[in-house]
């Protein structure tokens, strides 16, 4: 269970106060009591503001470190800027605000370095390194952690959305199945009922029929027409207005459909260059959807011709053009008997939706003395949807976020490598160019003027001399210079102190050896060797 927000502030302040007390108790850093209390008060203010004003909290946390050391590298307050920089990235503060905060700390440290009597280049490199590894890197880690949590939350939200979409798709599939059943009822049963009505009409006018039989045939025809109308009504209830006509497999070829309609008494003729639609599909690449749609168009057109133009000759043209389209034309002439009642028109509407869904064209209307239904259907596959699905877009966003964090870490690491390399190069340069060899030190004579001594001295002096290890304090009224006795790096070496008179003569008044940490016997032995 996550602790309440109001309890994290005191815990954070207590954790940051531990290094301050420990450094003073262990004697690692010596600071006045008032400075310690002020620093703790500033840290308390930072912990209070870190939720609402994270940038201000970071600046407050860095203030005690800058006050104690211009390079921001202290044992007491070194971890505080890192902690609040991490919180700065975790709170989602704008990048510009964070960079301005880092720049403000760098500017404050640079200003303090400029007014101190120390080696400014070395101090500034230490400041930049401390700011990079103690502030920028924690800030990047906080940003990465925040982005990772946001991406995880977005992933769960996306999963919930997909689950909802799957439920909607399942419901939609059930509705489409219901619409398909309705379309089958309309196309198959309606067609069969029309053929039954057509046969009953033929029996009604057949010669030699008894009057009772004629009446029964007329009633059968009327019942078939009424059943067709009721079927249209049920289809209208089952189908959706915006639902395109489903393309279920017809179960027979177009030639068999025409033959069955002709056997029922419908004067229909088929004109088609090819003789087998299946062979055409295999040789030309026509899709099953195209065959089904063509079958539906012919079936619906024959049904309408039998109902609304009884006795009229019907011509069916079915061909595949060189342009890669399948054309269907069903034309009927003038009706020879009284037509049936007007239909609802849902059949033609469904056909138009099915043909246009495949990228084709559909027309239906009067033609000469009759009626024509024509359709042009592409034989190729329908275009596939764009592959840029929401899941792919989410994955792309996640990769982009990770790439940005990686670039930021890489840039910070490169900057850190440059700073470390520059700091090492500057350290090596300053130490090796401030070496006074024991031979040159021995050759220096007291009372020698400064202008005669300078050509024998190194180019640089030590900026941080070990004055606490000097055997005696420098003579009053002198200007002392310190040099290394060896060019070894990263080890403790002996130092030489040369003190010159501040008067007009600038003579060498005192020279002494500041030994490296060691025993008294070792120091005395080194002095005897240099004296010889």
């Amino acid at each position: 269970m996550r602790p309440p927000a109001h309890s994290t502030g005191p815990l954070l302040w207590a954790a940051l106060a531990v290094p301050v007390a420990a450094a003073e108790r262990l004697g690692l850093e010596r600071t006045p009591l008032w400075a310690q209390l002020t620093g703790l008060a500033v840290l308390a203010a930072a912990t209070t503001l870190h939720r609402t004003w994270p940038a201000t909290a970071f600046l407050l946390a860095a203030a005690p470190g800058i006050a104690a050391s211009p390079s921001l590298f202290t044992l007491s307050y070194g971890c505080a800027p890192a902690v609040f920089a991490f919180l700065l990235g975790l709170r989602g503060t704008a990048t510009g605000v964070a960079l301005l905060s880092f720049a403000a700390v760098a500017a404050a440290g640079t200003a303090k370095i400029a007014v101190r009597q120390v080696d400014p280049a070395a101090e500034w490199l230490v400041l930049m390194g401390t700011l990079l590894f103690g502030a920028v890197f924690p800030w990047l880690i906080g940003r990465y952690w925040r982005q990772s949590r946001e991406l995880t939350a977005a992933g769960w939200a996306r999963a919930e959305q997909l689950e909802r979409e799957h439920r909607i798709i399942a419901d939609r599939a059930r509705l489409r199945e219901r619409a398909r059943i309705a379309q089958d009822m309309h196309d198959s049963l309606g067609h069969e009922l029309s053929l039954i009505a057509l046969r009953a009409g033929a029996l009604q006018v057949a010669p030699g029929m008894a009057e009772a039989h004629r009446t029964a045939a007329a009633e059968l025809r009327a019942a078939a027409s009424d059943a067709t109308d009721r079927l249209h009504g049920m289809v209208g209830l089952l189908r959706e207005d915006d639902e395109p006509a489903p393309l279920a497999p017809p179960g027979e070829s177009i030639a068999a459909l025409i033959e069955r309609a002709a056997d029922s008494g419908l004067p229909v003729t088929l004109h088609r260059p090819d003789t087998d639609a299946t062979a055409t599909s295999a040789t030309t690449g026509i899709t099953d959807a195209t065959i089904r749609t063509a079958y539906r168009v012919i079936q619906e057109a024959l049904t309408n011709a039998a109902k609304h133009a009884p006795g009229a000759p019907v011509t069916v043209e079915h061909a595949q053009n060189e342009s890669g389209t399948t054309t269907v034309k069903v034309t009927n002439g003038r009706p020879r008997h009284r037509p049936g009642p007007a239909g609802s028109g849902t059949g033609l509407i469904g056909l138009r939706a099915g043909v246009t869904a495949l990228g084709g064209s559909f027309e239906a209307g009067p033609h000469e003395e009759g009626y024509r239904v024509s359709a042009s259907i592409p034989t190729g596959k329908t275009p596939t949807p764009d592959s840029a699905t929401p899941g792919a877009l989410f994955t792309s966003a996640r990769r982009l976020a990770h790439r940005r964090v990686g670039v930021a870490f890489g840039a910070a690491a490169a900057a850190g490598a440059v700073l470390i390399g520059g700091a090492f190069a500057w350290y090596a340069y300053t130490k090796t160019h401030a070496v006074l060899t024991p031979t040159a030190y021995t050759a220096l004579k007291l009372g020698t003027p400064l202008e005669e001594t300078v050509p024998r001295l190194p180019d640089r002096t030590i900026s941080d001399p070990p004055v606490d290890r000097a055997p005696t304090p420098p003579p009053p009224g002198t200007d002392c210079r310190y040099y290394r006795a060896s060019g070894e790096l990263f080890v403790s070496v002996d130092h030489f102190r040369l003190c010159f008179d501040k008067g007009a003569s600038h003579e060498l008044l005192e020279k002494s050896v500041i030994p490296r940490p060691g025993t008294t016997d070792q120091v005395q032995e080194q002095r005897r060797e240099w004296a010889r």
Side-chain angles (χ1 to χ4, degrees):
M1 182 177 179
R2 181 175 298 179
H6 60 79
S7 65
T8 58
L11 292 177
L12 178 60
W13 178 83
L16 295 176
V18 170
V20 179
E24 178 66 23
R25 178 62 61 90
L26 297 176
L28 300 177
E29 292 181 351
R30 297 296 182 182
T31 53
L33 180 60
W34 66 268
Q36 295 182 30
L37 296 178
T38 303
L40 292 176
V42 172
L43 292 181
T47 55
T48 304
L49 299 176
H50 79 279
R51 291 186 177 275
T52 55
W53 303 94
T56 304
F58 168 74
L59 294 176
L60 290 175
I66 290 291
S69 173
S71 62
L72 201 63
F73 188 76
T74 62
L75 297 176
S76 300
Y77 306 103
C79 61
V83 171
F84 285 97
F86 172 79
L87 296 176
L88 183 64
L90 195 62
R91 297 288 180 259
T93 307
T95 303
V97 175
L99 294 180
L100 287 177
S101 301
F102 299 148
V105 175
T110 302
K112 187 173 181 180
I113 290 173
V115 300
R116 293 188 60 192
Q117 298 296 326
V118 295
D119 189 357
E123 287 284 344
W124 189 82
L125 287 174
V126 174
L127 170 65
M128 292 296 104
T130 305
L131 190 61
L132 176 66
F133 293 101
V136 177
F137 271 12
W139 172 69
L140 290 175
I141 294 173
R143 282 177 59 86
Y144 178 78
W145 194 351
R146 177 181 57 83
Q147 290 180 356
S148 178
R149 292 194 306 178
E150 291 177 352
L151 288 173
T152 301
W156 282 111
R158 177 59 185 159
E160 294 176 357
Q161 180 181 357
L162 288 176
E163 186 177 356
R164 291 193 299 269
E165 291 178 357
H166 288 164
R167 289 196 296 266
I168 294 174
I169 291 172
D171 295 340
R172 188 68 175 175
R174 287 192 291 269
L175 294 177
R176 289 182 62 86
E177 180 64 17
R178 186 178 69 176
R180 186 192 67 79
I181 295 173
Q183 186 67 23
D184 283 344
M185 293 172 59
H186 175 273
D187 294 340
S188 300
L189 297 181
H191 181 71
E192 297 297 335
L193 290 174
S194 298
L195 294 182
I196 291 173
L198 181 62
R199 289 177 182 268
L203 289 175
Q204 183 181 358
V205 298
M209 289 286 292
E211 187 63 27
H213 292 166
R214 292 183 188 277
T215 303
E219 292 176 354
L220 177 61
R221 180 186 177 189
S225 299
D226 292 340
T228 303
D229 294 337
R230 288 195 297 270
L231 177 62
H232 283 303
M234 289 186 293
V235 168
L237 293 176
L238 290 175
R239 289 195 55 192
E240 299 179 11
D241 295 338
D242 59 346
E243 184 70 29
L247 302 176
E252 63 179 350
S253 64
I254 293 177
L257 173 65
I258 301 299
E259 183 179 356
R260 188 161 56 86
D263 293 341
S264 299
L266 183 67
V268 56
T269 305
L270 174 63
H271 295 283
R272 186 171 60 181
D274 53 277
T275 58
D276 191 353
T278 305
T280 303
S281 174
T283 55
T284 62
I286 185 173
T287 61
D288 292 339
T290 302
I291 298 176
R292 295 172 187 145
T293 304
Y295 179 94
R296 294 297 190 193
V297 171
I298 296 174
Q299 185 184 52
E300 180 66 19
L302 293 180
T303 301
N304 292 339
K307 179 179 180 180
H308 303 295
V314 181
T315 302
V316 177
E317 301 178 14
H318 179 218
Q320 183 179 355
N321 301 330
E322 296 180 356
S323 59
T325 58
T326 297
T327 58
V328 175
K329 294 181 181 179
V330 182
T331 308
N332 63 268
R334 185 177 59 181
R336 297 179 180 179
H337 308 289
R338 185 174 63 87
S344 61
T346 58
L348 295 180
I349 295 175
L351 290 180
R352 185 183 301 276
V355 172
T356 55
L358 295 177
S361 59
F362 180 85
E363 294 181 0
H367 179 73
E368 296 180 354
E369 296 182 350
Y371 200 85
R372 167 174 284 183
V373 175
S374 61
S376 177
I377 311 168
T379 58
K381 296 182 179 180
T382 56
T384 57
D386 188 6
S387 60
T389 60
L393 294 177
F394 172 74
T395 303
S396 177
R398 181 177 58 184
R399 291 178 179 175
L400 179 60
H402 288 172
R403 188 181 299 113
R404 288 179 178 176
V405 173
V407 170
F409 270 104
V418 171
L419 285 175
I420 293 175
F424 176 77
W426 182 256
Y427 171 80
Y429 173 80
T430 56
K431 299 305 180 183
T432 56
H433 284 71
V435 176
L436 179 62
T437 62
T439 303
Y441 170 79
T442 304
L444 295 177
K445 304 298 183 182
L446 296 178
T448 305
L450 177 61
E451 59 270 12
E452 296 181 10
T453 308
V454 168
R456 303 179 185 180
L457 300 179
D459 299 337
R460 300 181 58 85
T461 60
I462 295 299
S463 58
D464 52 345
V467 294
D468 56 330
R469 298 202 308 268
T472 58
T478 59
D479 180 18
C480 296
R481 301 184 180 187
Y482 298 85
Y483 302 93
R484 291 168 58 91
S486 172
E488 297 177 276
L489 301 179
F490 304 108
V491 295
S492 180
V493 298
D494 299 315
H495 290 75
F496 297 127
R497 183 178 68 184
L498 305 179
C499 297
F500 296 88
D501 183 19
K502 291 184 179 181
S505 60
H506 295 291
E507 296 177 353
L508 179 60
L509 298 182
E510 191 261 352
K511 66 174 187 176
S512 59
V513 179
I514 303 178
R516 62 179 178 272
T519 62
T520 307
D521 295 338
Q522 293 175 340
V523 173
Q524 296 296 334
E525 181 65 25
Q526 290 172 355
R527 289 183 176 180
R528 285 193 293 269
E529 290 179 359
W530 285 324
R532 290 195 297 266

